[in-house]
Amino acid sequence: MLLHGPAGCGKTSLARLVASAAAANFVEVHAAQIVSPVLGQSERQLAALFAAARSATPCVLFLDGLEALAPCRGSDTSSEGTLDRLLSYLLTELDGALQWSGPPLVLLGATRDRSLLDPAILRPGRLDVHLHVGLPSALQ
């Protein structure tokens, strides 16, 4: 599931509540922390993250600021193509999560703007459920 909306609207709080309601472990990662300038390090960090989440099942893995890991392909200006490789690895992990037969592992992604994400991550079977989280309104 993808939560999208402006900063400060409660996407992270909502993800924590989902994990709590499901009596699941909650693993929160700011996606930008995974991206490394060292060749191959980003992929290793992402692999370790998914391995840790699988070992903590039932688990809600929350990737905040998903646009840092899954920008539209072709927007990577590095000579190594780090972001395009990282996106490919993330898509592979997402596809593998569908085959996971152990206790539940739920991936929640969050972004401020869906248009910043590569369409491949939004296709059916990946993050195909989108929930807009708007700013809270005043109670009357």
Side-chain angles (χ1 to χ4, degrees), residues 1-133:
M1 176 179 275
L2 178 70
L3 306 175
H4 61 96
C9 68
K11 297 181 295 285
T12 301
S13 295
L14 182 59
R16 286 186 183 127
L17 287 170
V18 166
S20 178
N25 292 308
F26 184 70
V27 176
E28 176 184 357
V29 176
H30 296 278
Q33 294 173 327
I34 294 173
V35 180
S36 170
V38 177
L39 188 63
Q41 184 64 26
S42 300
E43 292 89 337
R44 284 190 290 277
Q45 290 181 164
L46 191 57
L49 173 63
F50 272 89
R54 280 190 290 273
S55 70
T57 55
C59 179
V60 172
L61 174 56
F62 180 61
L63 294 174
D64 198 6
L66 189 58
E67 62 274 4
L69 287 179
C72 293
R73 281 178 245 211
S75 63
D76 185 358
T77 58
S78 70
S79 59
E80 297 83 20
T82 300
L83 294 178
D84 286 347
R85 282 193 337 273
L86 194 54
L87 173 62
S88 293
Y89 189 83
L90 178 60
L91 295 175
T92 300
E93 283 287 357
L94 288 175
D95 292 343
L98 294 174
Q99 308 304 319
W100 175 251
S101 60
L105 171 58
V106 175
L107 176 68
L108 290 178
T111 184
R112 64 184 190 284
D113 185 354
R114 286 183 294 179
S115 69
L116 300 173
L117 299 174
D118 190 89
I121 201 163
L122 304 176
R123 75 170 176 85
R126 292 180 176 156
L127 295 179
D128 55 354
V129 177
H130 305 167
L131 177 64
H132 177 74
V133 182

